[in-house]
Amino acid sequence: AQRVTQPEKLLSVFKGAPVELKCNYSYSGSPELFWYVQYSRQRLQLLLRHISRESIKGFTADLNKGETSFHLKKPFAQEEDSAMYYCALSGPAAGNKLTFGGGTRVLVKP
Amino acid sequence: ETGVTQSPTHLIKTRGQQVTLRCSSQSGHNTVSWYQQALGQGPQFIFQYYREEENGRGNFPPRFSGLQFPNYSSELNVNALELDDSALYLCASTRGGRDYGYTFGSGTRLTVV
């Protein structure tokens, strides 16, 4: 069965410091991996997906199939990055549904 | 282009009652998924509808049921409500295909007392 694990419930960093959110997954086959973000009082929205290999708001994520990880990174955190971040996967073996991790709350301090 | 809209935004029900939550999918999207998000947890997949047929279901009992209409809007029905059903219920829609660009609604906060 597919599973997504985000080991950190809370990450607290200072503005300008690097931030890395960990995501590990289990899946039979080649999954589609995503990062979703939820800012305060806003709806869940897609941040980035691994197939597009793009950088959004300075965030990047690399799929490491050997380590079954999809960690999210940003070299210089900004206060507006404070939010809840969810890693998710999908794919045929998952019934094409999104399976989410438990989420990591990021707090960027001034 | 309108996004995903859900109604109502908040709801309080008594244990044992039934509830219907509604979702209007984003224009051009034919697939709708429902998720339950308990406090402090990530969203959990309930089921998905594609062209009015259920085409995927998570680990939820049969008292959770749904519908999708010809205009691709959807309903989530929960019978015999239990206290543990208290959660945020999210609806998400997509065009489908390999590029799973799900758009989420703001959710319905259900409280069962």
Side-chain angles (χ1 to χ4, degrees), chain A residues 3-109:
Chain A
R3 187 180 181 88
V4 177
T5 303
Q6 295 179 249
E8 304 123 336
K9 287 285 188 186
L10 172 67
L11 273 181
S12 183
V13 300
F14 285 103
K15 177 182 173 181
V19 62
E20 180 179 26
L21 288 73
K22 291 184 168 49
C23 171
N24 290 92
Y25 67 89
S26 62
Y27 182 84
S28 298
S30 295
E32 306 283 353
L33 272 298
F34 308 84
W35 276 98
Y36 280 81
V37 61
Q38 188 167 30
Y39 300 103
S40 179
R41 295 188 178 85
Q42 294 187 29
R43 62 186 65 192
L44 199 60
Q45 56 186 284
L46 180 65
L47 180 62
L48 56 79
R49 66 194 81 179
H50 90 273
I51 59 172
S52 58
R53 294 182 169 275
E54 55 193 349
S55 172
I56 304 294
K57 299 184 178 182
F59 284 97
T60 59
D62 290 319
L63 178 59
N64 186 322
K65 292 186 178 181
E67 296 183 358
T68 60
S69 68
F70 188 56
H71 302 328
L72 183 69
K73 303 176 185 179
K74 185 169 182 176
F76 308 103
Q78 302 300 312
E79 289 183 68
E80 56 264 30
D81 296 327
S82 296
M84 198 72 189
Y85 292 80
Y86 294 96
C87 182
L89 69 75
S90 186
N96 294 330
K97 67 180 187 291
L98 285 170
T99 298
F100 286 89
T104 298
R105 179 169 298 282
V106 171
L107 178 61
V108 181
K109 296 177 287 188

Side-chain angles (χ1 to χ4, degrees), chain B residues 35-94:
Chain B
Y35 293 81
Q36 180 195 66
Q37 186 174 20
L39 201 61
Q41 298 182 24
Q44 299 293 312
F45 175 74
I46 303 174
F47 44 55
Q48 177 167 286
Y49 280 84
Y50 170 68
R51 294 185 176 179
E52 303 178 58
E53 296 284 334
E54 183 181 295
N55 75 338
R57 189 177 181 92
N59 190 25
F60 280 82
R63 58 189 185 85
F64 285 77
S65 63
L67 283 173
Q68 188 180 32
F69 301 99
N71 65 355
Y72 304 128
S73 65
S74 178
E75 285 183 356
L76 163 65
N77 299 288
V78 187
N79 294 320
L81 283 167
E82 301 177 358
L83 297 179
D84 285 348
D85 295 333
S86 295
L88 180 68
Y89 288 85
L90 298 170
C91 172
S93 71
T94 181

